[in-house]
Amino acid sequence: MNRKVVVVGGGYGGALVAKKLDAEADVTLIDPREGFVNAAASLRALTQPDWAPNAFFPYDTLLESGRVIRGRAVSVDSGGVTLDSGDRVEADYLVLATGSSYPYPAKPAPASTSIAEQLEDLRRTHKELADTNRVLILGAGPVGLELAGEIKEVWPDKHVTIVDRAGRVLPGFLPEVQDALHRQLDELGVDLRLDTALTAEPPVAPGLAGRFAVTTDRGDEIVADIWFRAFGVRINTEYLADGRLLPLAGQATVPVTERLNVQGYEHVYAIGDIAALTDPKMASYAMTHAEVVATNIRAQLAGNRPATIHTPTPERRILLPLGRHAGVGQLPTPDGMAAATVETVNQRKGADLFTARFAAWFDRT
């Protein structure tokens, strides 16, 4: 009998698990969206709308044997998933991979579940942005920094200000990576203001053009024509809040074992941002988790005990492009973590933001 593997969430980790097990089990992938979103490409999709379709991949080309259900999980128990439609999907193995939400435009607006809607949102916001001169970005994490770089690549004369209450950019990364980032932001003309915050949110909705002035807690005035929110991760585990599977851990994450099983269940797994691990909430880590889980389920399907474990690493890796021609990174080497050159950042991410990799997943030529 072909065993049923149900994957909840079609992001980086969930889509990879579903694809890897497609030929070996009866795979069902559940996601409310029409297609996979390469969120790493979302900011370039905003600034270059003609390029934007490269960030989206319809799920109907992901699996050869399995199926994709467009729906939202509202409850999960040890035997399956209940959807917002009221339908029930039974499972022999469950993989929870619902990731996290983040403010638009880094991730699509929650109400926009079709690719056409998501592209239209980006075109609309692009038009708002194109007609402005001064841009304010709240948040100097990777998203805010990449957004500034993409804006400067298309509109080098726009004045871009980034504000963050943190005292440093990329805390936890090598000093030389931080220094290179500051130098490149200066070269791009980005006004980076750290260790400060606004006294009140701008009076205009994010992503909409409209001249406004705001004040920082240092008493400085910032005038801008549009602003974007680049902070505020929210873990997507609302469907587990009923406790039918298990109580959630801190920050609404899911407790897992070293094999990435949900604690208390040998046939249920959790990966990516929702897993209660010390790994950063980044796509590369979700895909690493996916490889572990696919290997373990494959062993179980063959009647063996799963033996592959995941050990979170204290080392931090990152590729942070600032457009196609600038950026910083930190990668592992035989001698430990090291700063990546601009050329390496461009070759490995900045040039196409991983679109070629995901095109191969979805057989797009």
Side-chain angles (χ1 to χ4, degrees), residues 160-223:
V160 177
T161 300
I162 306 176
V163 173
D164 198 302
R165 66 178 67 251
R168 291 189 300 163
V169 290
L170 300 184
F173 288 89
L174 294 170
E176 52 264 45
V177 175
Q178 298 176 358
D179 292 344
L181 177 60
H182 279 283
R183 184 178 64 255
Q184 292 184 39
L185 291 173
D186 287 343
E187 291 170 353
L188 291 171
V190 174
D191 180 7
L192 177 62
R193 305 195 188 189
L194 300 175
D195 198 23
T196 189
L198 302 187
T199 57
E201 194 168 278
V204 181
L208 293 180
R211 177 59 64 99
F212 61 86
V214 289
T215 305
T216 72
D217 52 11
R218 294 183 175 184
D220 298 324
E221 184 180 73
I222 299 174
V223 177

Side-chain angles (χ1 to χ4, degrees), residues 39-334:
S42 295
L43 304 176
R44 187 167 298 169
L46 168 65
T47 61
Q48 302 181 42
D50 290 344
W51 185 88
N54 290 292
F56 301 93
F57 300 85
Y59 285 124
D60 58 12
T61 60
L62 177 66
L63 306 176
E64 292 186 9
S65 303
R67 62 172 178 158
V68 178
I69 296 177
R70 190 171 171 186
R72 190 179 303 275
V74 295
S75 183
V76 168
D77 55 59
S78 61
V81 182
T82 301
L83 304 180
D84 53 358
S85 64
D87 292 339
R88 168 88 176 170
V89 183
E90 302 291 341
D92 297 305
Y93 298 94
L94 272 168
V95 182
L96 308 180
T98 43
S100 59
S101 297
Y102 198 92
Y104 170 84
K107 290 189 177 182
S112 299
T113 59
S114 74
I115 292 175
E117 290 171 327
Q118 292 158 2
L119 288 170
E120 179 56 30
D121 288 344
L122 291 167
R123 284 191 290 266
R124 186 183 308 112
T125 307
H126 173 88
K127 186 176 186 307
E128 297 278 339
L129 174 60
D131 293 336
T132 64
N133 294 314
R134 305 179 70 86
V135 182
L136 173 62
I137 299 170
L138 299 185
V143 170
L145 296 166
E146 287 194 30
L147 177 56
E150 295 294 340
I151 290 172
K152 278 292 189 177
E153 174 152 319
V154 177
W155 300 284
D157 294 331
K158 283 191 190 297
H159 187 279
V160 177
T161 300
I162 306 176
V163 173
D164 198 302
R165 66 178 67 251
R168 291 189 300 163
V169 290
L170 300 184
F173 288 89
L174 294 170
E176 52 264 45
V177 175
Q178 298 176 358
D179 292 344
L181 177 60
H182 279 283
R183 184 178 64 255
Q184 292 184 39
L185 291 173
D186 287 343
E187 291 170 353
L188 291 171
V190 174
D191 180 7
L192 177 62
R193 305 195 188 189
L194 300 175
D195 198 23
T196 189
L198 302 187
T199 57
E201 194 168 278
V204 181
L208 293 180
R211 177 59 64 99
F212 61 86
V214 289
T215 305
T216 72
D217 52 11
R218 294 183 175 184
D220 298 324
E221 184 180 73
I222 299 174
V223 177
D225 305 308
I226 194 170
W227 72 284
F228 295 97
R229 192 190 310 276
F231 66 90
V233 175
R234 182 176 61 82
I235 304 300
N236 292 331
T237 50
E238 303 90 344
Y239 60 97
L240 299 174
D242 59 12
R244 295 186 65 191
L245 189 67
L246 85 169
L248 294 172
Q251 298 181 319
T253 54
V254 180
V256 295
T257 69
E258 62 182 0
R259 292 175 175 80
L260 300 183
N261 291 103
V262 173
Q263 286 186 2
Y265 302 94
E266 292 188 353
H267 68 293
V268 185
Y269 294 84
I271 64 175
D273 290 2
I274 70 169
L277 297 168
T278 56
D279 291 332
K281 307 300 185 186
M282 293 181 173
S284 61
Y285 292 88
M287 290 187 285
T288 297
H289 300 169
E291 296 279 0
V292 171
V293 168
T295 300
N296 282 335
I297 292 179
R298 193 176 292 118
Q300 290 174 299
L301 292 170
N304 300 318
R305 179 172 176 78
T308 303
I309 66 172
H310 172 70
T311 303
T313 173
E315 298 176 332
R316 303 289 300 277
R317 62 180 184 259
I318 194 171
L319 292 168
L320 199 165
L322 300 172
R324 285 189 169 93
H325 307 292
V328 299
Q330 179 172 304
L331 296 170
T333 74

